[in-house]
Amino acid sequence: MAFNYARQFNHRITPQSQEIPDSNQVRNSGGGFSWEVDDWTRLDRFLILGAEGGTYYITERDLVKQNHGAIVRCIKADGVRAVNRIVEISAAGRAPKNDPAIFALALAVTHGDAEAKAHAFASLNKVCRIGTHLFHFAEYANAMRGWGRGLRNAVGDWYVYRGADDLARQAVKYQQRDGWSHGDSLRLAHPKAPSAQHESVFRWLLCGGSASHGADSLGEREVKRKVRGEDRVAKYGAVGALPKLIEVFERAKRVSSAGEIVKLINEFDLPREAIPTQWLNEAVVWEALLERMPMTAMIRNLGRMTSLGLLAPFSDAKRLIVRKLRDETGLKRARIHPLAVLVAQKIYAQGHDDKGALKWSPVSAVVDALDEAFYATFQNVEPCNKPVLLALDVSGSMAGSMIAGSCISARDGSAAMALITAATEPECEIIAFSAPAQGRYGGMHGGGEPGITRVNLSPRMRLADVVKRVSSIPMGGTDCALPMLWAARNKLNVSGFITYTDSETWAGNIHTSQALRQYRSEFVGDAKAVVVGMTSNGFTLADPNDRGMLDVVGFDTSVPAVIADFVRS
């Protein structure tokens, strides 16, 4: 039999297990071929998605290494641009966690040139907005570099540029993390207090700080005097009056009843972090905290408050929480990320935390309010008002890839993201692709089309029901070209193909980019394709040379608007 050169070197139809000739594709971690995204795209993916949990094919350690290299290359290529991007994504609250941005900023102060380092130091307050962020940064930076003048001044400025009352709240709410305390940071930074009250807070922190490997490892050991709280208040009042919150914090350590704690909360707005642990098992204490509790803290503690009996059907606390969760203005002001709401809804509805130590009976009204809050976080989405086909990757790798260290898999997260688009687009069809109906991966029956299952989702469905339905779809090899082939076979005019995947693909007889070009030649000439990567890795299905193909990352609050703008344009 003669050798078929056309089959081996076909630019129009190439199996995904082979490289498209002259395409500069690379083999991905799943064994298939795709394009490797550039370092700036990987920086965005890392900042938004992080690298926690790894993927189905790549271990967590390898993924962190890969992203580390890409971030450093961006910093060395254009450090100011890299820092601006870190600040932009962090300050806008676009990421589920701020840790990747903090880590990237620490890399900038380590590997950047003089201009980049100066810009990173000046941006510390914009990225590290609370004490916990500062402690994370100190730990990362301490592991990478020494404490030179620039780093000392930047950390010192974090304390100096805050008002004394704000500094007191930071000191009380965020006392220590990663083995670091405010006392450790002050010993290393040596900031000059801008006022007598700042000086009192500094001295109070230096006396009360716990030992830290951070200071000791740098040879800055000093004897830490053990002074009782009330003595510290008296001693440093002579330098400058301590902020009232610190005085109340010290008083809280000596109270003997829950009623006294409640009185301090009501009179002085004592935060939850300042309350001795033994009083956090009292429902009346949580009831007092609830009225002023920040949105994020409230969502995280729904299970605890329910387990204590505070949240119950017909209770005032239940009504207050439901009202807060339905406050769209409050949700926007608090910059609650959809992933945070989704994680809270999943954990609360199951009636126990991930470790199973804390258990409660979920209140249905709170579950419903969390569903509504998820939608509210996408309140500014504008539909593209064009026919859109959403394709969900439900393969095994999607189930094994966890988003940003959460309890949400890439498959579950993609279903939730698709639901939002379905809720905003008047013309939208949702399908899932996996194994062919008659293939080695097993059968699939959902509409009769090989490799395609139509997913009947209503925007009014609860997220838990959507996730359950998507998770029940049979899984197999991933073929992201099927949406175009399916639309062409059914003679559908689609303006935008949106695929949610972990980008680890190999199955199929034709590459996604080739299938899109064929579809354009027969149906919609300007059809667009968007690939939404749900995990932080270095591969993409979008042809970087095709202006009608776009890569975005999964749980970014701007994604629905970006997709709509791209398809509409």
Side-chain angles (χ1 to χ4, degrees), residues 80-271:
V80 172
R81 176 187 172 187
V83 171
N84 285 339
R85 192 59 176 156
I86 293 167
V87 172
E88 178 185 348
I89 289 177
S90 174
R94 292 175 56 189
K97 292 186 177 181
N98 199 37
D99 289 5
I102 298 170
F103 178 71
L105 191 68
L107 288 175
V109 303
T110 302
H111 298 285
D113 58 22
E115 185 181 10
K117 287 181 179 179
H119 190 38
F121 288 140
S123 303
L124 180 62
N125 272 288
K126 298 176 183 178
V127 176
C128 299
R129 296 176 290 275
I130 62 174
T132 298
H133 295 165
L134 181 67
F135 298 147
H136 286 329
F137 176 80
E139 178 68 4
Y140 294 147
N142 191 53
M144 298 178 192
R145 50 160 292 160
W147 282 72
R149 179 180 297 177
L151 182 56
R152 292 175 189 268
N153 289 342
V155 173
D157 288 345
W158 191 92
Y159 291 93
V160 168
Y161 291 148
R162 280 177 159 74
D165 287 338
D166 179 28
L167 182 59
R169 186 160 291 275
Q170 291 287 328
V172 168
K173 287 192 66 173
Y174 312 105
Q175 298 171 38
Q176 58 182 353
R177 181 65 67 88
D178 294 339
W180 289 79
S181 69
H182 289 290
D184 297 325
S185 300
L186 289 171
R187 289 184 187 90
L188 290 168
H190 301 299
K192 182 178 180 180
S195 71
Q197 196 171 38
H198 279 81
E199 179 70 18
S200 291
V201 176
F202 287 177
R203 293 193 182 191
W204 178 80
L205 287 169
L206 288 168
C207 261
S210 59
S212 164
H213 67 276
D216 292 342
S217 64
L218 292 169
E220 299 200 7
R221 299 181 178 88
E222 65 175 84
V223 178
K224 298 179 181 179
R225 292 176 292 174
K226 302 297 182 180
V227 183
R228 295 177 61 194
E230 56 268 37
D231 294 335
R232 291 204 301 275
V233 172
K235 183 175 181 61
Y236 296 120
V239 175
L242 278 166
K244 194 68 177 180
L245 182 60
I246 290 179
E247 295 183 2
V248 175
F249 173 62
E250 294 292 355
R251 285 171 55 186
K253 297 176 182 179
R254 306 189 298 274
V255 302
S256 57
S257 70
E260 293 179 75
I261 286 289
V262 169
K263 185 177 180 180
L264 293 178
I265 294 171
N266 291 333
E267 290 185 11
F268 303 105
D269 193 18
L270 192 66

Side-chain angles (χ1 to χ4, degrees), residues 11-146:
H11 287 73
R12 297 181 67 248
I13 302 176
T14 309
Q16 293 182 30
S17 58
Q18 299 177 17
E19 177 187 358
I20 298 176
D22 304 320
S23 66
N24 296 318
Q25 288 184 314
V26 296
R27 186 181 295 276
N28 63 35
S29 303
F33 281 86
S34 54
W35 284 274
E36 189 169 16
V37 300
D38 64 27
D39 287 338
W40 293 101
T41 301
R42 297 190 71 174
L43 173 62
D44 278 4
R45 288 190 173 189
F46 178 78
L47 292 173
I48 294 169
L49 292 177
E52 298 172 271
T55 71
Y56 187 76
Y57 302 105
I58 304 177
T59 65
E60 180 177 342
R61 178 176 296 179
D62 288 342
L63 196 57
V64 170
K65 277 187 198 174
Q66 293 169 14
N67 282 286
H68 173 277
I71 298 167
V72 171
R73 287 192 294 273
C74 288
I75 292 169
K76 290 185 176 180
D78 190 339
V80 172
R81 176 187 172 187
V83 171
N84 285 339
R85 192 59 176 156
I86 293 167
V87 172
E88 178 185 348
I89 289 177
S90 174
R94 292 175 56 189
K97 292 186 177 181
N98 199 37
D99 289 5
I102 298 170
F103 178 71
L105 191 68
L107 288 175
V109 303
T110 302
H111 298 285
D113 58 22
E115 185 181 10
K117 287 181 179 179
H119 190 38
F121 288 140
S123 303
L124 180 62
N125 272 288
K126 298 176 183 178
V127 176
C128 299
R129 296 176 290 275
I130 62 174
T132 298
H133 295 165
L134 181 67
F135 298 147
H136 286 329
F137 176 80
E139 178 68 4
Y140 294 147
N142 191 53
M144 298 178 192
R145 50 160 292 160

Side-chain angles (χ1 to χ4, degrees), residues 92-93 294-297 299 327-337:
M295 187 73 73
T296 300
I299 291 175
D327 180 3
E328 295 186 4
T329 302
L331 287 169
K332 184 177 181 179
R333 185 170 55 247
R335 300 191 302 184
I336 302 296
H337 195 280

Side-chain angles (χ1 to χ4, degrees), residues 330-382:
L331 287 169
K332 184 177 181 179
R333 185 170 55 247
R335 300 191 302 184
I336 302 296
H337 195 280
L339 179 59
V341 181
L342 179 56
V343 171
Q345 194 271 350
K346 182 172 182 178
I347 292 177
Y348 186 76
Q350 71 187 10
H352 61 82
D353 58 18
D354 287 337
K355 296 181 180 179
L358 186 65
K359 297 181 179 180
W360 59 85
S361 296
V363 178
S364 59
V366 175
V367 177
D368 292 341
L370 285 167
D371 271 338
E372 295 179 32
F374 180 83
Y375 295 113
T377 56
F378 289 85
Q379 58 189 297
N380 296 322
V381 175
E382 294 184 9

